[in-house]
Amino acid sequence: MAAITVPLAAAPREDSPTRRALRRLARRRGAVVGLFLVAFFVLLALFAPWIAPYDPVATSWSLVRKAPSAQHWFGTDEIGRDVLARVIWGARASLLAGVVSVCISLAIGVPIGLAAGYLGRWIDMVISRFTDAMLACPFLILAIALAAFLGPSLTNAMIAIGIAATPAFIRLTRAQVLAVKVEDYVEAARAVGNSHLRIVLRHILPNVVPPLIVQATLAIAAAVIAEASLSFLGLGQQPPAPSWGSMLNTAKNYVENAPWMAVWPGLSIFLLVLSFNLLGDGLRDALDPRHS
Amino acid sequence: MRFARIAALALAATLPVAAQTLRVGLGEDPDVLDPSMARTFVGRIVFASLCDKLVDLDENMKIVPMLATSWEWSADGKALTMKLRPNVLFHDGEKLDAAAVKYSIERHKTIAGSNRKGELAPVTSVDVIDPLTVRFNLSGPFAPLIAVLTDRAGMIVSPKAAQALGEKFNTKPVCAGPFKFVERVAQDRIVVERFPQYWNKGAIHFDKVVYLPIVDATVRLANLKSGQLDFIERMAPSDVPAMKGDRRFRITQAVELGYQGITINISGNEHSQKNPLGKDARVREAFELSLDRDAIVQVAQDGEGLVGNQWVSPKNPWYAKSLPPPKRDVARAKALLKEAGVTNPSFTLMAGTTSDAQRVAQVVQAMAKDAGFDVKIQATEFATALKLADQGQFEAFVLAWSGRPDPDTNLYQFIFCKQPQNNAGYCNPQVDALLTQERVTNDAAARAKLFEQIAAQVHKDRPIIYLFHRHWISAYTAKLSGLKPVPDALVRLQDLKFN
Amino acid sequence: MGRFLAHRLAAIVPTLFLVSVLIFGLQQLLPGDPALAIAGEDRDESVVQHLREKFHLNDPIPVRYGYWIRDVLHGNLGESVRIQKPVTELILEKLPVTIELATLAMFFALVIGITAGIVSAVFKGTPFDYLANVVALWGLSTPNFWLGILLILLFSVQLGWLPASGYVSPFEDLKANLASMVMPAFVLGNAFAAVLMRHTRSAMLQVLSADYVRTARAKGLEERVVVLRHALRNALVPVITLGALEFGALLSGAVLTEQVFSIPGFGKLIVDAVFNRDYLVVQGVVLFTATVYVTLNLLADLAYFLVNPRMRG
C-alpha cells in the first residue's frame, strides 16, 4: 500500500501584536496622514536653522508689515521680521510645548498611577483624593495660575501645562493597573515569587503602555493649544522668540491690515494639532484589540 | 387743510424725542466707583458723567470753572479761597454748598482706603466761610493744588448719601454730575441716566450713557464698526490708517499727559552695581544716544506718538523748549563707552507683558545693539513688576506714567530723594531744592524757569530716560459731534450730541 | 447601594479640602504683593497698609488660610478687592451666564459630535468616516480665541448679522440674548464636539458588534433601525454620563471664549481675578466650581449605577 502524503498547508507565521497594530494603523488613512504631517513638522523644527530663510528675530524698520513677496514668502510682521522664518522656528516652540509638557505629565503621572493602582489601600486613597482635587479645578485655570506663579516664559508654560495635565495620566494608569492586576498571569507571577517591582515592570507596564500612547498623543495636541492659549494671555513664549501662539496673539491686532501675520501660524497650529489628533485616534483604533 | 398742518406740527412738537443713548466702549472694567478710593483711568471716564469737580481742564490745559466759579490764593500762598456755583443740586436733591465741599474733602483725606490722601496731603483743613465760599488751609504753599482739584480729589459727593452708605458708597454713588447712577454689572456694563436738574443741563443731549468694558482691542473696534458702540476709547495705532479712510467714523488723537520711558536703577544697591548703566552716567548717555526716538515711535506706536525727552510732552506749555530731544548718534555712543572703559555692556530690561511694552523693549533692544549694548528683555507681569521696582530689584524698567495735569505730579514722586515711587533711587540735593521751590510758588513764569533747571540736571544724570508720549486715540461714529479733545483723554459729555 | 453612596460622599470632604489648599496655596504664592497690585499706579502708602490689614496680608500663610476657611464655612467667600463686591454675589450674577453658555455649547457639541460619531462608526473606513472625523476635530484643533476672532470679523464686522460681543440677559431681550450667544456657544461647543464624537464612535463600534445587535440583524431588521433603535440607545448611556463629567473641561474652554466675546461669566471672572491678584475671587470661584464638579461626578456615578443592572445588587 502506497503511503499517501497530504501536503499540509504552510502554517501562517505568528504576527507579533505590534506588527498587527502597525498594520491596522497603516490601514486608517487619517492616521497615516497625521503621521506624515507630524513627521513633517518635526523635521521642520529639527532643521529650522538650515531651512529658515532669515533670522527669526532680525528686525527691520523699513520692512514693517509688508505683504508676501518674492523676498518674504509669508510677508513680514509688525517690527519687520520675516514671517516664514518665524513660522519655521515657531515649530520648535510649539512642538516642544506639546511634547515636553506631556513628557512631564508622563514622568510624574505614570509612576504615581502605578503606585496607586498596584499598592492600593491608603496610598491609593490619598493619591486618588489628590487627583480628584486637581481634576476638580478646570485645566486652563490651573495652568494659568501655575504659569502666573512661575512667571511668563515658554519653559514655565510647559511645566504648568505638564503639571495641570498630570492627573489625567494618573487616573488612566491607575485604571489600567487595576484592570490588569487581577489577570491570571499576574496572579501566577506573584505565586511563583516574583518581586513586586518585577511584576509591575514586566507584566503590568506593557499592558498600560498602549492606552498611554494614545492618551499622550492626544495630550500633545491639547498641550499645543494650551500653549497658544497661555500666549494669548501673555504667559507663554516671550518675545522676541517666536511661537505660533504668541504670533497669533500679536497678529490678532492686525488681522485686517496684515492678515498674513495670522494666517500662517494659525494654519500651522491647526495642521499640527489636527495631525496629532488624527494620529491619536488612529493609534487608539489600532491598539484596541476589539477593533480588529 | 392749513389747520390740520399746524395741528400736526404742534403735535410733533409736544411728542417726546426718542431716548438718546450713548454707548461707550472702555478698555477695561473700572474699579470702585467711589471718587475717594478709585484709581483706574477708565474709572475717571465714568466719573466724567457722574461726578462734577470743583474745576476742570480745557483743551489748552487751562483750568476752568466747574463747581467753583472763581478762586484766589492768599498772599502767603497758604490758603485757597473758592467761590462756589449757586443752585447746584446733588442727584438726591440735596444742595451743593460749602459744607458739602468741606465734607467731601475731609472724606477724601480720612476714609479708610482712600487713594486721595497723598494728593491732598498739604491741605490741613477746610473752612466754610459762607454757604457758597470755602477756604482750603495748607501747611505750606503748594502750587499743584488747583490742578489736583481737576481730578478725583476735586469731586464733591453728597454728604447725606455718603454718610448713609459709608464704605459702600460705590454701590450707589451720588454726586453732582450731568448723569446719575442707575446700575452696574461687574465686567459687563455701567448705566447712567440724565439728571434733569443738572446745572448745565443745556449742554447735555443724551438721556442715557452705557459704558461697556471690552478688553480686547480688536473686539472693541469690531463693536464700533458693527454699530454696537458709538464711541471707543483707546484704539490701537495700527487701526488708524484704515479708520481714517472710513467716512462712517472719526478719530481724535490727543498727546497724553504722561510719558513712556525707561527707569534706570542708580540707587547704588546690588542690582544697580551689576548694571553698567547704573554705575556710570556716561554709559547711560551712550545708551540714550544709541536710541532713535523717531524710529521707536514709528515702529512701536505706528507713528502715533510724539517724541519727547522730559516728563511733559513738547506740546505741553510746561515743556522746557531749551532742551529738545537729542538725535541718535551711535558713533558718539561708542566713543563714550570706550571712554568709560566699558566693553560689551549688558543689562536686563524689565518690561510688562502687554504688547505695547514689549514692542518698545524690543525696538530698544535692537537699536542699542548697534552701539554694542546687549539688552536682555525680561517680561514681567504687572503686579510682580511693581513689587520688584519698589524694592529696587531691577536694572532697567520700561515704565510708563499715565500723567497728571500739573507737571509736578509727573515728576516729584519719581525724582525727589527717598520718595516711595522713586524707583531709580535718585538723590540729588540741588534737584530736591529746585523741586521744593517750584511747588511753593504760584508764579507760572518762575515755575517754568525752575522746571527748566530741573530738566537740565535730570537730563545730565539720567535716572529716567524719557522716550516719547503716546497718542490717546479715540474713535467714534461720524454721527457724533462736539467732542473736545482734552489731553487727559476723558470723554466729556457736555456739548456732545448726535447730529 | 447605600454603602456605595456613603463611601462616595465620604470621599468628597477630603477632596474639597485638598482643592481649597491647592487653590489657596497657588494664589498666596503668586509673586507680587496683592496690596501693591490693587493699590495701582499711585501706590499710596496708607492705602497699601490699609489693604494689608484688611486682608490679613501681614499674617503668616497658615493663619490666612484659617481666616479664609472659617469664613467659607460660614458661607462668606469674601469680597473682590478690586470692586468691593461679595464673591457670593459675583458668583450668583455670573453663574447663570456661564450655565447658559455651557448649555448652548453642549447643544452644538451634541449635534455635531454625536452625528459625526454615528456617521464615523457606521461608515467606518469610508471617506465619510474621515470627513466626519475632520469636521469634529476641526474645533479641537483651532485655538478657540482665534476661531472666535475670525467669526467676529466675519459675522459682525463684514456681514453685520450678529453682535460682535457683549451679553444681554434673556429676561431683558431673548432674541438679543440668543444673538449674542450663538458665536461663543459655537466656538465653545466645537472643541467639545470632538470629544463627544470619539466617545460616541467607540461606544457605537462596541455596540454594533455586540450580540444583541447581531441578533437584530439576523432577525432581518433594517440597518437603520438596528443603528438607531438598538445600538444608539445603549451607546448613549456612557456618552451622556461622560458628558456630565466634562463640565470642568467646558469651563476651561469658557475662560478664553468669554474673554474674547466679553461675556460676563465665570471664566472671565476668574482670569481677570488672577491677573488683578483678586485672589479671594479666584479662591471662592474655584472652590465653588470644584464643589459643583464633584457633585456632578457623584450624580453621574449614581446614574450609571442605577442604569447599569450589572452593578446593582
Side-chain angles (χ1 to χ4, degrees), chain B residues 266-283:
Chain B
I266 58 174
S267 62
N269 75 1
E270 37 150 11
H271 288 267
S272 76
Q273 292 305 349
K274 268 196 281 182
N275 165 16
L277 288 178
K279 287 191 285 199
D280 192 330
R282 284 173 298 187
V283 180

Side-chain angles (χ1 to χ4, degrees), chain C residues 212-223:
Chain C
Y212 61 89
V213 172
R214 271 196 254 146
T215 315
R217 281 207 189 106
K219 276 197 336 202
L221 285 175
E222 225 185 281
E223 189 64 18

Side-chain angles (χ1 to χ4, degrees), chain A residues 104-257:
Chain A
I104 294 178
S105 303
L106 286 171
I108 305 178
V110 173
I112 295 183
L114 285 172
Y118 192 73
L119 297 173
R121 278 175 297 151
W122 64 268
I123 292 187
D124 184 13
M125 206 179 63
V126 168
I127 293 179
S128 290
R129 296 290 80 76
F130 258 106
T131 317
D132 284 348
M134 278 187 79
L135 281 171
C137 305
F139 169 73
L140 200 58
I141 302 294
L142 208 53
I144 290 174
L146 278 167
F149 163 53
L150 295 166
S153 84
L154 182 63
T155 320
N156 290 338
M158 294 194 281
I159 297 176
I161 297 173
I163 295 180
T166 304
F169 285 99
I170 297 180
R171 268 252 179 108
L172 181 64
T173 313
R174 176 182 175 274
Q176 283 299 111
V177 171
L178 286 178
V180 170
K181 206 165 74 160
V182 297
E183 294 278 339
D184 289 338
Y185 57 88
V186 172
E187 304 258 350
R190 231 200 331 248
V192 165
N194 282 322
S195 76
H196 287 302
L197 190 62
R198 204 177 141 88
I199 294 178
V200 166
L201 289 178
R202 271 203 73 194
H203 297 285
I204 297 190
L205 196 53
N207 284 288
V208 173
V209 165
L212 271 184
I213 292 181
V214 174
Q215 183 71 1
T217 312
L218 297 172
I220 293 180
V224 173
I225 295 270
E227 188 273 329
S229 305
L230 286 177
S231 294
F232 176 64
L233 296 169
L235 292 171
Q237 171 85 295
Q238 295 302 313
S243 90
W244 294 337
S246 56
M247 286 171 77
L248 261 189
N249 187 28
T250 323
K252 75 168 165 39
N253 299 323
Y254 302 101
V255 175
E256 293 181 65
N257 19 24

